[in-house]
Amino acid sequence: MATSKRCNVSSENLTVNYVKTPKIDINSKVDLIIQSKKHANDVFDVLEYLQSEKEKNVVCAINGCTKLFSTLLERGELYVGQLPKEELLIGGDRSADEKYCMFMRHRYNGCLELLLEHISHESYQIKESALCALMQFASMEGKFPLQDLDWSEHYSFPRELIQAVVERLLSQEEDMAVLISRFQEYLDMEDVRYYVMSSVRENVGRVMDKTKGAVMPIYQNNVFTLLSNINMPSQESELTNYLVKQEAKHEDWKAAKLKEHKRAFERLWLGFLKYKLPSSMYKKVLVILHDSILPHISNPTLMIDFLTAAYDVGGAISLLALNGLFVLIHQHNLDYPDFYNKLYSLLEPSVFHVKYRARFFHLANLFLSSTHLPVYLVAAFAKRLSRLALTAPPAALLMVLPFICNLIRRHPACRVLIHRPSAANEACDDPYLMEEEDPSQCHALESSLWELQTLQKHYHPDVAKAAMAINKPLSQQEDDISELLELSTYELMERDLKQKQSKTVPLEFDPATQLLQGSGGVGVLGLNFSLE
């Protein structure tokens, strides 16, 4: 990183002896500064190392600054209150000790600026060291505040420093996922989590409003990574781990209340999701929405707009939105008028090949489990699945065929699809309209599940056997499809290969006993070659 000249780091005051090892030189200077105020100017040399182009020098300087300013904070040798400009230190009637505290406070502020810049450094080791140093300073500022307030009535937490760290982590130009994962250690602390959530919400609103809501893939991915690393507590008693221990127990401190954490968490996610997201991020959000977001939101129905919009997108995003909608419908009485029409339209050939196939059919099974659904609706789902089964892979068929049979078991009126005596042995056109998106208009009840009879001739014996279930009266007990939902082609092949043959397979009906002569006077060679 190129050297920058600042008022806090004066290049004119450098007295670095480059013959010495940087680590020894930095440590010795830090020790001298701590031991005696007469060595205060050596702080410029330590800060200059923070701008070195060598990684080792920068890391050593970060460690040195952490030790130095943590000691000064603990001693109370940094100026507390509104800091005057550095030019005013020369004159005035202030004491030498007060001028020293102001001088070191300016140096401390300069150190914080450099550390914040290093969060965007190309070297991960420097990034990590800078982040840890900043959080160490946050902890020390909490114990020894630099604001001149009556702390018996306030809470000593360095909000401004946390906001600055969050702003650097939410970079608009660089993917910070690795460093954010390192930051998760601090997010497990109750006070850090609470103030980080507030800072992220403010940052998202400011940045996205500035860009008029335009999609910003890198920035939004950093925000999502940070949000997904927040683990919310489920009970008030779990709020025990704090970065800053408050001397007195403040009952009205928001960071110590689960209700306030949930409120901040809710406002954070709603503020993030109200803007347009990259298409790939919709999938990431929907995957964790039902178990990592909705349970920790005070009013989950506020997610209705986002979920319904995602459900209308189509494809894999709609499949994933089913989980969140199921929670809202089942637990919060969400009324979605065209829900089953949309669910019906999601049944396409691609549904057997998507990554989230198991989740989709698990939820579809739940949604179609009610015995109060109209017969035409259940018949439409059964017929559409049967038609799609003609081109489905064997692993999917072993799950879909029992699924269809279960639908017929739950709704006996649909048995006409597999047994229509009046139409036996009669060739006729299928009245079912595959292209019709409305289940009530597709004429499924007027059709039959002839596709299942076709699958009885399938090349895979397990599929053919499963399709033959309709040849006998269906039992009252439903088939358990839970173990078949995630069945893959690889698992299917492994299962077939591990099957033991109950009988020996005959390979040669007339075994040869000799090379040249066998039974009937013909040997192995005689069967394949002729001497004539």
Side-chain angles (χ1 to χ4, degrees), residues 337-400:
D338 297 325
F339 177 78
Y340 283 99
N341 287 16
K342 183 64 180 178
L343 182 64
Y344 179 76
S345 67
L346 292 179
L347 295 178
E348 298 177 347
S350 61
V351 77
F352 297 120
H353 305 279
V354 294
K355 181 180 179 180
Y356 314 104
R357 183 187 72 189
R359 180 180 298 190
F360 170 74
F361 279 99
H362 169 71
L363 292 171
N365 188 45
L366 290 176
F367 286 127
L368 296 171
S369 61
S370 174
T371 56
H372 299 289
L373 294 175
V375 177
Y376 78 84
L377 184 66
V378 178
F381 275 92
K383 178 61 180 179
R384 191 173 184 90
L385 285 171
S386 299
R387 183 65 61 87
L388 294 174
L390 293 175
T391 56
L397 286 173
L398 293 177
M399 176 267 300
V400 170

Side-chain angles (χ1 to χ4, degrees), residues 21-93:
T21 305
K23 182 176 181 180
I24 299 175
D25 190 30
I26 293 172
N27 291 337
S28 62
K29 289 183 180 295
V30 169
D31 291 337
L32 288 173
I33 298 169
I34 293 174
Q35 291 169 8
S36 174
K37 294 180 180 179
K38 68 180 182 180
H39 296 287
N41 282 332
D42 288 347
V43 71
F44 287 112
D45 300 340
V46 178
L47 293 177
E48 185 67 18
Y49 273 116
L50 275 179
Q51 302 176 86
S52 172
E53 294 182 355
K54 294 183 178 180
E55 181 181 294
K56 291 183 179 179
N57 293 359
V58 177
V59 173
C60 291
I62 292 174
N63 295 333
C65 288
T66 305
K67 178 182 177 181
L68 171 61
F69 292 111
S70 295
T71 303
L72 295 179
L73 277 163
E74 189 172 0
R75 287 180 180 176
E77 295 182 359
L78 294 184
Y79 184 79
V80 176
Q82 186 66 35
L83 185 63
K85 293 183 179 180
E86 195 163 13
E87 293 79 5
L88 301 178
L89 296 181
I90 300 174
D93 55 353

